[in-house]
Amino acid sequence: MERQKRVAGEIQRILLEVLYGEVKDPRIPEMMSVTEVKLNRDMSLATIYVSTLGGEQEKKDMMAGLEKAKGFLRSRVAEGINLRNAPDLRFVLDESLERGNAISKLIDEVRAEDRERNKRLHGE
């Protein structure tokens, strides 16, 4: 388990370096983030969670760009880690940041409504 985490962290570091420094696909935005990498038990598959700030079309384009670059990215991962076989890469859109932002916004709205209600109740 510890080795999986260490290898996943190394894969994440390598992917960020390659995506920001070597991949020139305009569909992959500069504001893209690799939020997490998870390896299966035998480390034959790496699930890479990615996110970006943008609309639905930008996200679709980003995912298409990542799929097209998958072979290149896998070869760069293979060069950078010491495994007998480089894992297959699977990209998954991580929308947890957006969900978190939406929840925070709702909480802020409820708090503002509570403050207004309290002001009215107490005659302020």
Side-chain angles (χ1 to χ4, degrees), residues 112-124:
E113 289 171 8
D114 283 349
R115 280 193 295 275
E116 287 301 314
R117 189 177 313 111
N118 284 336
K119 284 181 183 178
R120 285 194 305 271
L121 288 174
H122 298 297
E124 295 177 22

Side-chain angles (χ1 to χ4, degrees), residues 12-61:
Q12 184 173 11
R13 183 192 65 76
I14 292 166
L15 286 174
L16 286 169
E17 265 181 31
V18 174
L19 286 166
Y20 291 138
E22 298 178 38
V23 174
K24 302 296 183 216
D25 190 323
R27 296 174 294 181
I28 300 175
E30 289 180 17
M31 294 300 294
M32 190 202 96
S33 176
V34 176
T35 58
E36 187 175 12
V37 174
K38 289 184 179 177
L39 285 166
N40 66 345
R41 189 178 301 255
D42 67 359
M43 294 195 274
S44 64
L45 176 66
T47 302
I48 295 103
Y49 295 87
V50 295
S51 69
T52 189
L53 301 174
E56 289 304 310
Q57 189 59 50
E58 287 89 354
K59 291 175 186 174
K60 286 179 185 175
D61 290 347

